[in-house]
Amino acid sequence: MLGTTTTKANGTYSLDVSYSGDVVVEVSGGNYIDETTQLSTPLATPLKTVLAANGGTVTGVVTPLTTLAYGAAFPAGTVGSAITAAAFKTKATAVATQFNLTAADLDKIPDVALGTNDAYGKVLTSISKYMDTNNATLDSIFNTTDWTGFNGLINAAYNALYPNSGVTFNVTGFDAATGQATGVMNIPNTGYGGGTGTCQVREQGTMNIPAIGAAPASTVPLDETICFTGLNATATCDAAGAAILTEQNHTSSLAGVTWTTSYTLSPTCTGAAGTVNINLL
């Protein structure tokens, strides 16, 4: 911990730190005025960015998009020297590109904070609209595996706010090497990928869906087998298997949906219905 401070009511902050090197800026706690609802809203997900401090003055803009870039660059468990401003900038470029922005945009104070709307501000406001409409969180956006569904919903949110804008997003994930979309999943909290280990996970049980509109409550049986490849030596099947499937399927469920499931794990994949490769993104 190099230092702490409290933001002003408008979200600005200043902090003197006598340190040169890459630093993480994290904003947590407190309330903010939601751009969509205009209500005072608790900050549920800490916001983050990474700066290259040089002993002088640097600007650290912390928003949902910088937080998505941070999460993509540094999966859960990443610590110490692995967290660099350069690695963050690579992911920031990928995130910005897929929201029709540039990495430089993410370093600017978005005009939405000043009462107007530039491209960056409009993206942030549409994310707020998406979360409010779909009872979603920043964590659920980052952990989604259904980018097609996300694109439909985020584009609907944007066009509800800015009709006839002609703007569309095509977000499909963030690849560190190219800064472009990738079909490989980044599943956090499971250990790093990039290895050769495998884990077969069979989930059995039920998904309980509440009544929605005129549709009555229902119970759906579950019996799914997935083979996960690419686990490294620190992500053993016993340690990671159930967590992988939970992260994969349950974190973005509809409000009111409950799961009653059990898991059978095996380090050998035999006739799995689907295969998911895990990379260190």
Side-chain angles (χ1 to χ4, degrees):
M1 181 83 71
L2 297 175
T4 62
T5 189
T6 301
T7 66
K8 297 179 181 178
N10 64 1
T12 60
Y13 67 96
S14 179
L15 181 65
D16 290 329
V17 173
S18 47
Y19 175 82
S20 293
D22 297 338
V23 299
V24 177
V25 178
E26 177 175 306
V27 181
S28 61
N31 287 27
Y32 66 97
I33 302 300
D34 185 272
E35 291 91 343
T36 297
T37 66
Q38 294 300 304
L39 297 176
S40 180
T41 306
L43 181 62
T45 300
L47 305 179
K48 298 180 180 180
T49 193
V50 182
L51 299 176
N54 56 16
T57 299
V58 293
T59 300
V61 178
V62 192
T63 72
L65 291 193
T66 66
T67 305
L68 290 177
Y70 182 93
F74 313 116
T78 306
V79 295
S81 60
I83 299 178
T84 66
F88 171 80
K89 185 64 73 175
T90 296
K91 286 301 186 181
T93 299
V95 171
T97 297
Q98 293 186 51
F99 282 98
N100 301 338
L101 301 170
T102 69
D105 288 325
L106 302 195
D107 294 332
K108 300 175 182 177
I109 298 175
D111 284 349
V112 68
L114 305 178
T116 59
N117 286 299
D118 63 354
Y120 191 6
K122 288 180 178 179
V123 170
L124 294 176
T125 305
S126 65
I127 289 175
S128 172
K129 177 73 171 178
Y130 162 84
M131 291 194 299
D132 179 61
T133 303
N134 298 284
N135 192 31
T137 65
L138 284 180
D139 287 334
S140 68
I141 295 174
F142 180 69
N143 291 324
T144 187
T145 58
D146 181 13
W147 291 112
T148 299
F150 171 77
N151 285 322
L153 295 172
I154 192 67
N155 285 321
Y158 190 97
N159 286 290
L161 292 167
Y162 310 104
N164 304 315
S165 66
V167 173
T168 58
F169 305 120
N170 183 29
V171 183
T172 52
F174 316 104
D175 177 75
T178 64
Q180 300 299 319
T182 176
V184 178
M185 295 178 184
N186 174 21
I187 306 177
N189 305 320
T190 60
Y192 298 133
T196 59
T198 61
C199 180
Q200 179 171 289
V201 184
R202 182 178 182 183
E203 179 187 27
Q204 295 173 286
T206 57
M207 177 175 66
N208 308 303
I209 304 174
I212 302 175
S218 60
T219 299
V220 179
L222 296 175
D223 191 347
E224 180 180 38
T225 302
I226 298 179
C227 175
F228 294 92
T229 66
L231 296 175
N232 72 7
T234 64
T236 63
C237 186
D238 287 345
I244 290 172
L245 200 60
T246 299
E247 193 74 42
Q248 166 86 358
N249 291 327
H250 298 178
T251 56
S252 300
S253 62
L254 294 172
V257 172
T258 59
W259 305 75
T260 304
T261 59
S262 61
Y263 305 94
T264 303
L265 307 177
S266 171
T268 303
C269 296
T270 55
T275 299
V276 175
N277 184 49
I278 300 174
N279 275 7
L280 175 56
L281 299 182

